[in-house]
Amino acid sequence: MPFASSTLALTVASSCLLQPVTRPLTDLERMAAETLPHPRQVAWQQLEFTCFVHFGVNTFTGREWGTGEEDPAIFNPTDLDCDQWVTEAKNAGMKLVMLTAKHHDGFCLFQSNYTEHDVGSSPWKGGKGDVMAELAEACRRHDLKLGFYLSPADLHAIHANIYGNQSEPTKSLIPTPVPGVEHEGPHFEYVVDDYNRYFLNQLYELLTRYGPISEVWFDGANPRPGTGQTYDYKAWYDLIRKTQPQAVIAIKGPDVRWCGNEAGQTRAAEWSVIPIGGTSDNWTWPDMTDADLGSMARIEETLAEGGTLHWYPAETDTSIRHGWFWRDEEQHVRPADEMFDVWERSVGGNTVLLLNVPPDRRGLFADRDVEVLREVGRQVQRTYSRNLAAGSGVTISDTSTAEGPASLLDADPSTAWRAPDGVRSAGIVLNLPEKQRFNRVVLQEDIARFGQRVERYSIDVWLGNRWYEVARGTTVGSRRIVRLPLTEAERVRVRIIAARVSATLSEVGLYRSVE
């Protein structure tokens, strides 16, 4: 992503690239351009900024990874307030809150019928509390989406001889009957071993008790390798699809991939159309950390070896603190300017930003974290609440969509300009009503209808009597934020230098950040 610098680097730009450039289409290129997201993936991508909440026994021990042998009595927040979490997340512009319902230590922040290693065995609210229930209710009140993380790894289950006990898979009813407990919801049957039965039962509890779930998050962390335990992902995915079909399955799942790091960084070219080394039915969804995941060269190579194309967008996860759990108030909290930078890189780099904000031992977001969240929200609003290109005249090359040029400034990412098939290079000129000073250019594609097509673009400004190039980049996708030094112009040109099948954009915006 282009970065701001103290001076504007100007390169004389060609004045002829408004003329469409065509070449014959290939089957592979068309296949890549026509790989589209599922509606649940579109809804997830539109969230853009979401909140991870790491909370549990680790909060009270100062550990990042627990042992599984913690006494539930240590979990006793004095002032837990999920309304505070949700309010501050919303103030920052977040649209979903995701709770670590169970971390690797196995302690559950919900009332489970399948373990005593949960909030029901803690002194908090006399053993009657349920963090997941309180969060679900707070999200409903404040109109935010809800998600949860259920750790596949479970150290407590190892100590209880449930995890890795080499048990044989048997036909199992989910939810498994428990004496004195009535299950009114649907029942499912799977052939699974002891731990997968245990996991499916807890997954069922989370999926059926707390209303609509928008994201279910699994990771590949394994604090105790060598147990021999395997995970029946197909059964897990099946249960999610049958009970919460609108929920994306993230990271170790088919809907959302990890960006590849926990530092808040994205690739220069972040593709959502990804070649995988199998089919979606048999792929194991490993972490993808290569710099190039979706170029046409990578696609051609993978498909030649029997792979397939899959819409697999990235999620950028990072923490507001150094560490995922709250430890103490000596712990470093990243400043607002740094977090706004991460927001622009990730949201503006075709990913969703999942920012972790860990509650303290009171059960509250700490004051320093709240201050940062509020300032990030203010910076986002100050910068992106008004499109300085609104009201511009638009000159554009041929279009094959009914919306045409006006769609680029209508603040509706579901409308788009698109050139005819085969026209991969084209230009868009914004004739502003008056000179504007700006340092951000935002580009978007209509991913729901046209997938991800733009491979390379450039930004030009008209100064004097000629065009000067001020930035160039690679992919666009859901949103690309191009950061510039402060620039003044009354004509701005976006050149689509290369695209798959046809040049297209849904939105163009000019904005100014006060730096």
Side-chain angles (χ1 to χ4, degrees):
M1 180 181 298
F3 296 96
S5 61
S6 58
T7 58
L8 182 64
L10 299 176
T11 303
V12 176
S14 170
S15 61
C16 64
L17 279 181
L18 283 178
Q19 300 303 314
V21 177
T22 63
R23 67 177 187 273
L25 294 173
T26 67
D27 290 342
L28 198 62
E29 179 186 0
R30 186 175 289 280
M31 189 186 306
E34 294 178 355
T35 298
L36 301 179
H38 188 279
R40 64 175 159 257
Q41 292 174 302
V42 176
W44 170 83
Q45 189 89 55
Q46 290 170 346
L47 297 175
E48 293 195 324
F49 190 20
T50 60
C51 185
F52 216 167
V53 177
H54 276 66
F55 191 49
V57 290
N58 291 349
T59 309
F60 296 86
T61 63
R63 293 175 178 265
E64 281 293 296
W65 284 20
T67 66
E69 297 181 292
E70 291 86 359
D71 185 343
I74 66 173
F75 184 82
N76 194 19
T78 55
D79 299 292
L80 189 139
D81 185 355
C82 291
D83 272 301
Q84 188 241 14
W85 303 357
V86 173
T87 297
E88 298 304 342
K90 192 170 185 176
N91 286 339
M94 297 167 167
K95 297 183 176 65
L96 173 147
V97 180
M98 181 155 55
L99 179 68
T100 55
K102 181 187 79 170
H103 204 253
H104 311 321
D105 50 75
F107 182 79
C108 299
L109 295 182
F110 58 99
Q111 297 275 348
S112 177
N113 292 319
Y114 300 94
T115 184
E116 294 184 354
H117 199 59
D118 68 355
V119 287
S121 298
S122 78
W124 177 60
K125 294 195 171 182
K128 303 297 183 183
D130 187 322
V131 181
M132 187 70 184
E134 294 194 17
L135 178 59
E137 182 57 36
C139 284
R140 280 191 289 273
R141 280 194 293 270
H142 295 277
D143 195 27
L144 264 66
K145 304 295 184 184
L146 177 67
F148 65 82
Y149 163 68
L150 187 67
S151 172
D154 188 324
L155 287 164
H156 183 75
I158 292 176
H159 298 304
N161 198 34
I162 300 171
Y163 186 109
N165 65 4
Q166 312 306 314
S167 58
E168 290 295 322
T170 60
K171 188 180 294 186
S172 303
L173 192 65
I174 304 298
T176 303
V178 175
V181 177
E182 292 187 11
H183 295 289
E184 298 179 354
H187 289 68
F188 306 94
E189 196 171 86
Y190 301 100
V191 178
V192 290
D193 65 12
D194 288 353
Y195 181 68
N196 280 285
R197 183 184 314 111
Y198 175 78
F199 191 90
L200 283 164
N201 278 314
Q202 292 195 327
L203 188 58
Y204 180 92
E205 291 175 318
L206 290 165
L207 291 168
T208 59
R209 290 180 179 174
Y210 303 106
I213 300 295
S214 295
E215 184 169 0
V216 179
W217 213 88
F218 302 132
D219 64 8
N222 186 358
R224 188 74 64 83
T227 63
Q229 181 64 55
T230 59
Y231 303 143
D232 194 337
Y233 286 113
K234 285 188 177 181
W236 302 359
Y237 301 162
D238 182 75
L239 184 62
I240 296 166
R241 292 289 191 244
K242 287 177 176 175
T243 56
Q244 296 277 357
Q246 78 287 345
V248 294
I249 307 172
I251 313 308
K252 296 297 288 186
D255 296 324
V256 175
R257 63 180 168 84
W258 183 44
C259 72
N261 66 84
E262 295 179 345
Q265 299 172 355
T266 56
R267 295 169 178 81
E270 196 69 74
W271 285 102
S272 296
V273 179
I274 303 295
I276 60 175
T279 67
S280 58
D281 291 331
N282 64 23
W283 193 237
T284 57
W285 312 110
D287 292 339
M288 294 180 166
T289 57
D290 290 351
D292 175 16
L293 294 181
S295 70
M296 288 305 298
R298 181 70 178 262
I299 289 173
E300 184 173 5
E301 176 186 0
T302 305
L303 268 60
E305 297 172 352
T308 56
L309 286 177
H310 188 70
W311 187 273
Y312 204 27
E315 183 174 63
T316 302
D317 64 324
T318 194
S319 184
I320 199 169
R321 289 180 169 239
H322 281 184
W324 292 95
F325 286 90
W326 183 93
R327 291 194 298 274
D328 54 43
E329 281 310 306
E330 297 301 313
Q331 190 177 8
H332 177 69
V333 176
R334 297 161 76 180
D337 286 348
E338 179 183 347
M339 298 318 304
F340 180 60
D341 174 70
V342 169
W343 185 93
E344 289 194 306
R345 290 171 183 268
S346 52
V347 173
N350 190 38
T351 79
V352 169
L353 173 57
L354 176 61
L355 177 61
N356 178 63
V357 187
D360 61 20
R361 291 173 189 163
R362 298 172 300 170
L364 300 173
F365 288 172
D367 292 346
R368 290 188 298 152
D369 306 57
V370 167
E371 183 180 341
V372 170
L373 289 176
R374 291 179 180 178
E375 180 56 26
V376 169
R378 286 191 289 265
Q379 288 194 41
V380 171
Q381 281 299 307
R382 282 198 301 263
T383 303
Y384 294 102
S385 59
R386 176 173 171 249
N387 185 355
L388 301 176
S392 298
V394 182
T395 304
I396 204 165
S397 47
D398 292 343
T399 179
S400 65
T401 49
E403 296 94 339
S407 65
L408 294 169
L409 297 174
D410 65 0
D412 182 357
S414 67
T415 63
W417 156 78
R418 180 167 66 91
D421 287 0
V423 179
R424 300 174 181 84
S425 300
I428 301 160
V429 174
L430 303 179
N431 298 294
L432 308 181
E434 58 185 356
K435 276 189 176 180
Q436 293 286 359
R437 302 175 76 218
F438 59 92
N439 53 13
R440 299 292 189 271
V441 180
V442 174
L443 308 176
Q444 293 181 259
E445 293 185 66
D446 181 356
I447 61 172
R449 290 191 298 165
F450 305 130
Q452 188 178 6
R453 301 193 177 204
V454 176
E455 294 181 320
R456 286 184 292 130
Y457 67 85
S458 70
I459 309 295
D460 306 332
V461 296
W462 182 265
L463 298 175
N465 61 355
R466 65 179 60 185
W467 290 108
Y468 290 90
E469 181 181 286
V470 293
R472 63 170 49 210
T474 55
T475 53
V476 173
S478 179
R479 187 193 289 223
R480 166 66 73 179
I481 296 176
V482 185
R483 302 192 288 192
L484 305 169
L486 194 60
T487 303
E488 184 173 28
E490 58 184 340
R491 297 181 71 196
V492 178
R493 183 171 68 177
V494 178
R495 284 181 290 153
I496 307 300
I497 299 170
R500 296 173 179 177
V501 176
S502 60
T504 180
L505 286 175
S506 67
E507 292 295 315
V508 178
L510 305 179
Y511 301 90
R512 182 168 65 249
S513 174
V514 179
E515 297 176 343

